[in-house]
Amino acid sequence: MDAMTGLRLLPWTDPDGKPCYLSSDDGSSPLSRRADAIEAVQESMAAELLRHARVLLDAPRADKRELRYLAERLCEALRDVLRVAESRGARLPSYGEGDDPAPRGGGCD
């Protein structure tokens, strides 16, 4: 949940392309679990698309049509994973000045 609004940005938009939000304190509600599952699918699809992009970009005979299609799909995937990142970032606990978010004895040096 976004600490400021108490709303979770969902991984989809309404028919007009506007963001959708969930207002719930229960991270295991059916809609919250559905959003988690869709986020996982979006991340998996983006990873697979990235692998495909590398293969296509390494192909010496990739044509303009294929590359344009790839660019469109990469833009869609980037939009989706950025929305997931925004949603998850908003749900992270906020720390005040002087607070140490790293657990004792397990931080990175």
Side-chain angles (χ1 to χ4, degrees):
M1 288 290 182
D2 182 336
M4 298 295 292
T5 64
L7 299 175
R8 174 185 176 171
L9 177 62
L10 295 171
W12 56 80
T13 59
D14 72 8
D16 296 324
K18 295 178 183 173
C20 294
Y21 295 90
L22 172 63
S23 177
S24 172
D25 291 332
D26 183 5
S28 63
S29 71
L31 189 54
S32 185
R33 289 193 315 270
R34 178 74 173 149
D36 291 341
I38 289 173
E39 287 177 353
V41 168
Q42 288 173 328
E43 291 171 350
S44 176
M45 289 173 63
E48 183 61 32
L49 183 59
L50 187 57
R51 285 188 287 279
H52 178 70
R54 179 53 27 210
V55 170
L56 186 60
L57 292 172
D58 287 342
R61 295 186 185 221
D63 67 26
K64 180 180 174 181
R65 183 180 47 83
E66 290 174 309
L67 294 172
R68 182 170 182 81
Y69 183 80
L70 173 64
E72 292 290 335
R73 302 299 73 82
L74 286 169
C75 287
E76 291 169 359
L78 180 58
R79 179 202 59 217
D80 291 345
V81 297
L82 286 173
R83 186 182 301 119
V84 170
E86 180 183 349
S87 177
R88 291 180 182 177
R91 289 180 277 145
L92 290 174
S94 59
Y95 295 96
E97 190 173 318
D99 288 343
D100 183 7
R104 298 287 179 226
C108 296
D109 291 341

